[in-house]
């Protein structure tokens, strides 16, 4: 494991809220050790969060792909065309049957309709 | 100084010193003392940065404190965490619940028995130059020595100009202490506050 560069900490900025007096002092050795430990801990946490975020992003991408595929499956154009063709066949059979039974008059073809 | 509803005056009325001192002077002072949010302290970090910002001797006369920050960090990272301690307590006495989100994901990040409160995040050295991020934290009943303290804060973070470079965070922090808060210490999770980072502390009256 590579050795980490020691952090160069700036001074602590101390202010007195009552008097407004401002002063600075360097971090103590104990404070530096603690801050370094906190930084290492934060780096681990940031890595975990980044991993979680990437997993969420991947899950979201998968979900969107699934949605797109589902929408494509239910696209109406092809299915309705087939359904309309089947409906036309059924309708023609029904008309023929009604004509044969004498319930309905033969339907006019486009040609006969033009001739009146 | 008590509030006295000012009387309507007519042309020719004699405005005595007593009337003047009550109507405008004392009433304005009353409003300032009791209703307004008062600035307690503000500071801007100078050249060289600051490892932490330590506000001591906070007046105990308000009902709530409001802390506003506008910060940038020196750490070689896009973002760092903004941490806060009360009364210099570095023990594992802080619990928090955090939710953070960007354009594609949402992170829940609760933790207990931490050594500091986690009130927000802010842009650091690898973020776009000159970008600083804001955070607001409210600390009600900070001077009440009978109750454990709780805070609510939110912050917004931007470290680049892509839509995915922005995140927002809401944080709720809890300090396992009933001590009145007299001192706030702010520090980044790594390295220092950059120059021009600013901290503003306000007091709200508890009327």
């Amino acid at each position: 494991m590579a050795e980490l560069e020691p952090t160069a900490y700036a001074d602590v900025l101390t202010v007195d809220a009552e008097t407004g007096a401002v002063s600075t002092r360097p971090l103590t050795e104990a404070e530096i050790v603690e801050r370094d430990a906190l930084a290492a801990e934060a780096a681990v946490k940031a890595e975990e969060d980044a991993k979680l975020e990437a997993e969420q992003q991947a899950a979201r991408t998968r979900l969107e792909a699934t949605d797109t595929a589902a929408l494509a499956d239910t696209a109406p154009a092809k299915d309705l065309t087939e359904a309309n063709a089947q409906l036309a066949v059924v309708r023609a059979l029904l008309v023929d049957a009604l004509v044969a039974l004498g319930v309905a008059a033969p339907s006019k073809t486009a040609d006969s309709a033009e001739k009146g | 100084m008590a509030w006295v509803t000012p009387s309507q005056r007519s042309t020719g009325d004699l405005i005595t010193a007593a009337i003047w001192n009550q109507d405008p002077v004392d009433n304005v002072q009353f409003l300032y003392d009791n209703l307004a949010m008062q600035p307690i302290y503000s500071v801007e970090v100078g050249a060289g940065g600051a490892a932490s910002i330590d506000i001591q001797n906070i007046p105990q006369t308000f009902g709530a404190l409001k802390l506003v920050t506008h910060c940038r960090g020196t750490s070689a990272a896009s973002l760092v965490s903004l941490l806060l301690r009360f009364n210099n307590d570095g023990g594992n006495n802080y619990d928090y619940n955090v939710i953070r989100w960007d354009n594609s994901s949402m992170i829940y990040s609760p933790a207990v028995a931490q050594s500091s409160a986690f009130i927000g995040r802010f842009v650091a050295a690898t973020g776009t130059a000159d970008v600083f991020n804001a955070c607001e934290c409210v600390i009600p009943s900070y001077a009440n020595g009978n109750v454990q303290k709780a805070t609510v804060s939110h912050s917004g973070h931007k470290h680049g100009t892509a839509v995915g470079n922005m995140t927002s965070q809401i944080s709720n922090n809890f300090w396992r202490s009933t001590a009145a808060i007299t001192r706030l210490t702010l520090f980044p999770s790594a390295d220092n506050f950059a120059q021009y980072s600013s901290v503003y502390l306000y007091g709200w009256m508890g009327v």
Side-chain angles (χ1 to χ4, degrees), chain A residues 7-22 25 27 31 34-35 38-42 45-46 48-50 52-54 56-57 60, chain B residues 40-41 43-45 48-59 83 85 90 100 102-107 109 114-115 183 187-192:
Chain A
T7 301
Y9 289 105
D11 283 348
V12 175
L13 186 58
T14 303
V15 299
D16 188 310
E18 273 185 351
T19 65
V22 179
R25 65 166 178 84
L27 286 175
E31 286 173 332
E34 191 202 8
R35 289 288 292 270
L38 274 174
E41 194 180 307
K45 187 80 173 65
E48 288 172 357
D49 282 356
L52 201 57
E53 284 170 10
Q56 284 196 14
Q57 176 63 50
R60 182 178 161 169
Chain B
I40 297 174
Y41 180 78
V43 66
E44 182 181 280
V45 173
S52 58
I53 298 172
D54 193 10
I55 306 173
Q56 302 183 9
N57 294 326
I58 294 170
L83 307 177
R85 280 183 180 157
R100 185 169 65 246
D102 61 15
N103 65 323
S104 65
S105 59
M106 186 175 280
I107 300 292
S109 192
Q114 299 295 298
S115 63
R183 180 175 176 182
F187 55 101
S189 57
D191 296 273
N192 304 304

Side-chain angles (χ1 to χ4, degrees), chain B residues 40 57-66 86-87 138-151 175 177-184 202-206:
Chain B
I40 297 174
N57 294 326
I58 294 170
Q60 300 294 293
T61 50
F62 299 101
L65 295 176
K66 181 179 180 179
F86 303 119
N87 295 1
V138 174
I139 312 166
S141 303
Y142 74 101
N144 187 330
N146 301 306
V147 296
Q148 291 195 4
K149 308 303 180 290
T151 75
W175 186 37
S177 171
T178 59
I181 295 172
T182 58
R183 180 175 176 182
L184 300 174
Y202 302 90
W204 263 317
M205 289 308 301

Side-chain angles (χ1 to χ4, degrees), chain A residues 73-89:
Chain A
D73 282 348
T74 55
K78 184 181 173 186
D79 289 348
L80 280 182
T81 304
E82 286 177 3
N84 284 336
Q86 288 168 359
L87 202 58
V89 171

Side-chain angles (χ1 to χ4, degrees), chain A residues 75-113:
Chain A
K78 184 181 173 186
D79 289 348
L80 280 182
T81 304
E82 286 177 3
N84 284 336
Q86 288 168 359
L87 202 58
V89 171
V90 171
R91 184 177 179 277
L93 288 172
L94 192 59
V95 169
D96 286 350
L98 289 172
V99 170
L101 290 169
V103 178
S107 60
K108 291 178 181 177
T109 64
D111 185 49
S112 61

Side-chain angles (χ1 to χ4, degrees), chain B residues 10 13 37 68 73 79 87 95 99 111 128 138 165 184 197:
Chain B
S10 303
D13 280 357
M37 180 190 287
V68 179
L79 295 168
N87 295 1
D95 308 313
I99 182 171
T128 304
V138 174
N165 295 150
L184 300 174
S197 294

